[in-house]
Amino acid sequence: MSQLLQSLTTELRRGTLTLAVLSQLRTPQYGYSLVQLLEGSGITIDQSTLYPLLRRLEKQELVTSSWDTSESRPRKYYVLSDYGVEIFLQLKKEWLKNSQQLYSLLKGEEEDEPN
Amino acid sequence: MNLIEIYIQEVTRRLPEKNREDIALELRSTIEDMLPADYSEDEAKAVLEKLGDPVTLAGNYQDRPRHLIGSRYFDVYLTLLKMILPIAAVISLITMLAEYFIGYSGDQTVIGIIISLIGKGIARIIEVGIQTFFWLTIVFAMIERMDNRKDNKPLAACLKKWTPDDLKKIPNIPRKKAISKTEVFGSLMWTAIWATLYFYANQLVGVYQGGNNGIEFVTPAFNQNVLLQYWPIVVLVIGLEIALALYKLTARQWTKNVAICHSVVEVLGTLVFIVILVHPNLLNYDFITYLTNLFSITASQLKMWIVGGIISIFTVFAAFNVIDGFRKAGTR
């Protein structure tokens, strides 16, 4: 892939990352389980971005965190707060609307292309 | 200590104290999650590779900006820098020249003076440039860090958000009518140069000859006492030239008034110049002898050539400047 295309693709994905993470946090998840969930859906994610993102979301009060020390290895779980759920639903609506608009735009483009 | 501990330390030592412990704990548990129970060093390396450079990871954990001046302030910063740098350079040059001539002892050759002035001038401009650049950058870097507003829109030069009304404040000057700052500073520089030559003519203007000690000043061209008789009117011309330069700087374009003032100063300057030049005892006797011997012509021929030549050149230039000024003022 050319360097330009790669940087454009990264830019395109960047905005969707927050939405992808929020969508998986309706049930409590710890760092690595979240990575696995996302990768299971085919979303590759830069781990050096993900863990700092979780902290930022917590600071923005979209998620809450708690340490689970009951198992042999202590794990930090993140889950959406009430406010987080509200924001997530709105963001999801926004995304669906946007992608629909973009889709019809790209579809129109396709029909114009000579076959 | 194993690689994982070193990695965690590399990340956390770049973070604020209060977050270190928690992030270290979380990182450790995440890394262990990614590894099998009994892992080899290669497996550990593979996991750490996935997490990437500890410096990048630490940077992502921090909210602080990772640039000195962001897009919000960059335009303002650049505008100010472009405005302040030349002003600072010119002021430092002028003060340097003033300092030099006030402390001038009179025992240096002109080449020595020029070389030391150029050297000092360059050094001073570089020094002042670096200082200006440094302090302005520091101030903006601090503003960038103290500004807590979330709005990231770039600011206009007056530190406010841009509105269409800002357009009204921009003077609409046609290119052909504009008076550039370079032009103004150039004329100020010229005033400084000829004023220096005038007041120090006995040390600067004359015949130079290559001797044993490099280039030597043989004889001055003018009788300094004759030249200095005219000092009040010369000072007046200097004052007028400076005033004209400042007026041009504020007017920013050629108007009829600018052209008139420009002509008055130009004509007055040329007249004073001619009056001084036609004074019968202006040229130094030694200088005349030197040149008549050199070109084997008579003294009166020489005077006619020098005085006549210089007067015609200056008159032509003055006339051209006056006409050019009115032409620019008349441009629509």
Side-chain angles (χ1 to χ4, degrees):
Chain A
M1 216 193 297
S2 79
Q3 206 154 26
L4 177 65
L5 186 59
Q6 200 152 25
S7 84
L8 286 174
T9 314
T10 316
E11 207 172 304
L12 210 56
R13 275 201 202 130
R14 192 178 296 145
T16 65
L17 185 60
T18 311
L19 187 58
V21 169
L22 287 178
S23 74
Q24 300 305 307
L25 286 179
R26 305 194 105 181
T27 52
Q29 301 291 341
Y30 56 92
Y32 191 56
S33 70
L34 190 57
V35 173
Q36 284 174 318
L37 269 176
L38 290 171
E39 280 181 351
S41 313
I43 295 175
T44 43
I45 179 166
D46 186 1
Q47 299 200 31
S48 70
T49 330
L50 178 68
Y51 304 124
L53 175 65
L54 285 171
R55 291 209 158 239
R56 211 164 303 133
L57 293 175
E58 187 183 1
K59 213 175 159 191
Q60 291 165 340
E61 295 172 357
L62 295 173
V63 303
T64 53
S65 72
S66 54
W67 278 98
D68 178 10
T69 46
S70 60
E71 282 178 63
S72 62
R73 186 181 303 142
R75 277 171 180 152
K76 197 174 187 183
Y77 279 85
Y78 294 89
V79 70
L80 281 184
S81 64
D82 291 344
Y83 178 54
V85 174
E86 194 185 317
I87 292 283
F88 164 64
L89 290 176
Q90 282 178 31
L91 206 59
K92 181 176 160 188
K93 217 156 93 186
E94 201 61 37
W95 169 257
L96 290 175
K97 198 175 89 192
N98 275 344
S99 48
Q100 219 142 45
Q101 287 165 340
L102 197 63
Y103 180 74
S104 57
L105 206 64
L106 295 177
K107 202 151 188 258
E109 168 82 3
E110 220 161 71
E111 282 163 7
D112 289 344
E113 270 174 28
N115 290 322
Chain B
M1 210 177 352
N2 67 38
L3 286 180
I4 293 171
E5 286 308 313
I6 298 175
Y7 183 90
I8 291 171
Q9 211 173 60
E10 276 296 290
V11 176
T12 51
R13 76 185 175 87
R14 292 185 165 81
L15 298 173
E17 195 89 48
K18 59 178 167 85
N19 294 338
R20 274 185 201 168
E21 211 181 323
D22 200 55
I23 289 177
L25 218 55
E26 190 183 2
L27 262 181
R28 194 171 297 119
S29 101
T30 306
I31 291 169
E32 283 169 6
D33 274 337
M34 293 160 81
L35 287 169
D38 199 17
Y39 58 88
S40 67
E41 196 184 294
D42 282 342
E43 283 170 316
K45 276 188 188 165
V47 165
L48 294 181
E49 177 126 44
K50 267 192 179 171
L51 284 173
D53 188 341
V55 181
T56 318
L57 184 56
N60 287 340
Y61 270 117
Q62 288 192 308
D63 292 334
R64 272 191 296 138
R66 300 174 77 198
H67 45 247
L68 267 184
I69 298 161
S71 59
R72 185 174 165 83
Y73 288 103
F74 189 72
D75 283 338
V76 186
Y77 167 73
L78 213 61
T79 316
L80 274 181
L81 198 62
K82 277 190 205 158
M83 202 151 71
I84 295 175
L85 267 185
I87 293 176
V90 168
I91 290 177
S92 68
L93 261 190
I94 291 173
T95 43
M96 187 205 71
L97 285 176
E99 273 167 24
Y100 187 84
F101 283 109
I102 288 167
Y104 184 65
S105 54
D107 51 5
Q108 260 183 301
T109 62
V110 76
I111 293 293
I113 294 174
I114 290 175
I115 289 176
S116 83
L117 277 187
I118 291 177
K120 274 187 194 166
I122 292 173
R124 188 71 77 91
I125 286 181
I126 293 175
E127 189 192 320
V128 168
I130 291 174
Q131 288 273 349
T132 315
F133 185 67
F134 175 78
W135 288 109
L136 198 69
T137 311
I138 292 278
V139 167
F140 269 87
M142 275 164 64
I143 293 176
E144 175 83 43
R145 271 145 194 80
M146 286 186 298
D147 187 358
N148 289 324
R149 279 167 295 184
K150 292 287 169 226
D151 165 26
N152 249 331
K153 294 241 174 65
L155 294 173
C158 53
L159 288 175
K160 290 198 192 98
K161 232 167 145 177
W162 184 85
T163 63
D165 281 334
D166 285 357
L167 291 174
K168 287 185 189 162
K169 289 186 225 144
I170 296 173
N172 185 16
I173 300 174
R175 231 172 175 207
K176 283 180 183 165
K177 287 181 81 144
I179 300 175
S180 71
K181 289 198 179 73
T182 335
E183 196 181 325
V184 175
F185 286 130
S187 62
L188 276 178
M189 212 45 123
W190 165 239
T191 308
I193 289 171
W194 74 250
T196 312
L197 288 178
Y198 172 81
F199 285 108
Y200 294 91
N202 57 341
Q203 286 146 10
L204 297 174
V205 187
V207 178
Y208 292 88
Q209 217 167 30
N212 294 334
N213 315 321
I215 292 171
E216 278 176 276
F217 189 59
V218 182
T219 173
F222 304 108
N223 283 319
Q224 190 73 2
N225 49 354
V226 175
L227 209 53
L228 288 185
Q229 277 172 10
Y230 298 99
W231 78 263
I233 184 102
V234 170
V235 168
L236 178 75
V237 174
I238 293 175
L240 285 176
E241 283 195 0
I242 293 174
L244 178 71
L246 295 179
Y247 179 41
K248 279 181 176 172
L249 198 63
T250 47
R252 293 172 66 184
Q253 60 177 324
W254 285 97
T255 60
K256 212 172 161 199
N257 283 344
V258 173
I260 290 171
C261 293
H262 178 75
S263 316
V264 169
V265 175
E266 193 76 45
V267 169
L268 188 72
T270 313
L271 280 179
V272 170
F273 185 73
I274 292 173
V275 166
I276 297 177
L277 216 56
V278 296
H279 191 286
N281 291 330
L282 179 70
L283 291 180
N284 192 0
Y285 180 73
D286 290 339
F287 180 66
I288 297 175
T289 333
Y290 182 88
L291 286 188
T292 46
N293 288 342
L294 194 66
F295 297 116
S296 50
I297 45 173
T298 65
S300 57
Q301 269 179 314
L302 179 80
K303 272 190 182 175
M304 202 191 74
W305 271 107
I306 292 184
V307 173
I310 294 178
I311 287 179
S312 14
I313 292 174
F314 264 76
T315 317
V316 168
F317 269 108
F320 174 78
N321 278 338
V322 169
I323 294 169
D324 193 47
F326 278 106
R327 196 180 52 78
K328 281 178 180 162
T331 314
R332 296 260 158 246

